[in-house]
């Protein structure tokens, strides 16, 4: 088989798939070298400064917390990320061979970021509700070694299946459920080079950053054939960059190919996160 048609998983991810369906999150420690994560951190820092310098370049996800969507060319090793054997294998195993890369961005909780309300990132798709299967995955890559005072990501394992008409906008559980989520909650302390994958339906939140340091985290969003999360995103690649990509990456990259990149005006706002856990 050629690289263009070889969709066989490159590594055995059966245990990760089992964990994903049980807990809603899994991870691969040390997937990248710490130096790779350091370079990614430099790229995110440059993109964040550029985004803050123009209207609509960054969107608030709570006080002192931002999300920025970027183009693949804004990080130096996009190919190394999306074609990593674990990433590629997990996408294929969970979403099928026709998975599509639809989102590249980053979250940054700065000093003074507060607890977010418990939430999922979008309403539950019918396929998940009726068939208990995932139609998308979210990968996260930290660019720093996470410490307790930096506002670690907190997730409530197993809550990807929670479904209630009381969820505001299908995303925010009522505060009467918070005690349960806090009892289930697990804080994550990834190191530079680690990568995680989760269902964005698993109830989670960013916690208060009580340090003077930021905690940048890259976000890679991947859809199966039924999902439509690309409607929330605007990443693109130039023709020259597209032509430089391996065919195996092109096969899964769902974005426009353009002559010149336009800075992204953020549109994936989540209104319920703007104020924090008020």
């Amino acid at each position: 088989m050629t690289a263009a048609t070889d969709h066989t998983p490159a590594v055995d991810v059966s245990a990760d798939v089992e964990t994903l369906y049980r807990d809603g999150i899994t991870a691969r420690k040390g997937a990248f070298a710490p130096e790779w994560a350091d370079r990614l951190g430099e790229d995110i820092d440059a993109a964040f400064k550029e985004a803050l310098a123009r209207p609509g370049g960054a969107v608030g996800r709570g006080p002192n917390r931002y999300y920025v969507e970027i183009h693949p060319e804004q990080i130096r090793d996009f190919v190394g990320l999306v074609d990593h054997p674990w990433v590629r294998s997990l996408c294929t195993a969970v979403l099928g061979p026709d998975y599509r890369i639809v989102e590249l961005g980053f979250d940054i909780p700065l000093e003074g970021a507060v607890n977010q309300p418990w939430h999922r990132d979008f309403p539950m798709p019918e396929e998940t509700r009726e068939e208990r299967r995932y139609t998308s995955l979210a990968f996260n890559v930290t660019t720093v070694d996470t410490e307790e005072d930096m506002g670690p990501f907190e997730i409530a394992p197993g809550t990807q299946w929670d479904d209630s008409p009381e969820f505001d906008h299908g995303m925010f559980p009522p505060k009467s459920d918070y005690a349960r989520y806090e009892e289930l909650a697990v804080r994550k302390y990834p190191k530079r080079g680690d990568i995680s994958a989760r269902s964005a339906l698993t109830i989670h939140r960013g916690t208060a950053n009580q340090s003077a340091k930021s905690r940048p985290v890259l976000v890679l969003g991947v859809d199966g054939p039924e999902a439509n999360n690309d409607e929330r995103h605007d990443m693109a690649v130039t023709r020259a960059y597209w032509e430089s990509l391996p065919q195996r990456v092109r096969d899964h990259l769902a974005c426009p190919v353009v002559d010149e990149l336009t800075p992204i005006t953020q549109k994936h706002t989540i209104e319920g996160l703007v104020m924090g856990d008020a």
Side-chain angles (χ1 to χ4, degrees):
M1 288 186 176
T2 66
T5 58
D6 182 8
H7 296 294
T8 304
V11 295
D12 182 4
V13 293
S14 54
D16 292 290
V17 174
E18 182 179 346
T19 301
L20 259 176
Y21 270 89
R22 183 188 69 230
D23 297 342
I25 188 169
T26 189
R28 174 60 64 97
K29 298 289 187 182
F32 302 96
E35 295 78 13
W36 186 94
D38 292 340
R39 290 192 296 274
L40 177 62
E42 294 169 359
D43 296 339
I44 286 177
D45 183 60
F48 188 45
K49 289 176 180 174
E50 185 277 330
L52 288 178
R54 58 184 172 82
V59 62
R61 290 284 173 85
N64 299 313
R65 191 186 298 270
Y66 295 92
Y67 172 80
V68 177
E69 183 180 4
I70 58 176
H71 297 300
E73 287 162 79
Q74 290 180 261
I75 64 173
R76 276 169 279 182
D77 195 17
F78 176 75
V79 172
L81 171 66
V82 301
D83 202 41
H84 187 282
W86 188 78
V87 173
R88 180 162 45 86
S89 300
L90 196 61
C91 288
T92 302
V94 175
L95 304 175
D98 297 323
Y99 69 85
R100 296 171 294 124
I101 299 160
V102 298
E103 174 189 11
L104 185 69
F106 54 86
D107 279 305
I108 297 191
L110 303 173
E111 178 182 6
V114 302
N115 285 341
Q116 291 181 315
W118 290 103
H119 67 282
R120 56 176 41 128
D121 291 340
F122 44 78
M124 183 179 291
E126 285 304 311
E127 293 87 354
T128 305
R129 178 176 291 109
E130 296 177 3
E131 303 171 35
R132 289 180 74 88
R133 65 181 175 89
Y134 298 147
T135 62
S136 66
L137 288 174
F139 291 85
N140 293 141
V141 184
T142 182
T143 67
V144 295
D145 293 344
T146 308
E147 299 171 3
E148 178 63 40
D149 64 351
M150 294 168 66
F153 178 80
E154 198 167 48
I155 192 164
T159 57
Q160 67 271 31
W161 313 117
D162 285 13
D163 186 24
S164 168
E166 295 184 11
F167 274 43
D168 192 18
H169 299 291
M171 298 165 59
F172 295 89
K175 290 196 172 184
S176 57
D177 289 352
Y178 277 22
R180 173 173 168 256
Y181 295 128
E182 287 164 9
E183 184 176 340
L184 291 170
V186 175
R187 287 194 170 192
K188 299 296 184 179
Y189 302 95
K191 303 294 186 184
R192 291 151 42 243
D194 297 346
I195 183 170
S196 67
R198 61 186 169 90
S199 166
L201 300 175
T202 312
I203 304 300
H204 63 278
R205 66 177 179 178
T207 62
N209 186 353
Q210 299 170 335
S211 76
K213 298 166 284 190
S214 64
R215 187 179 60 80
V217 178
L218 189 78
V219 180
L220 177 72
V222 184
D223 275 1
E226 314 92 330
N228 59 357
N229 292 304
D230 55 323
E231 295 175 359
R232 303 183 179 95
H233 304 292
D234 282 323
M235 72 175 186
V237 296
T238 61
R239 297 186 191 282
Y241 186 74
W242 174 262
E243 291 168 3
S244 75
L245 293 172
Q247 185 61 48
R248 187 165 61 193
V249 172
R250 290 191 219 176
D251 288 346
H252 300 290
L253 191 54
C255 69
V257 179
V258 298
D259 292 324
E260 184 176 349
L261 293 175
T262 301
I264 296 174
T265 298
Q266 308 302 320
K267 64 182 182 182
H268 188 203
T269 57
I270 302 179
E271 196 65 35
L273 296 181
V274 173
M275 298 302 293
D277 186 11

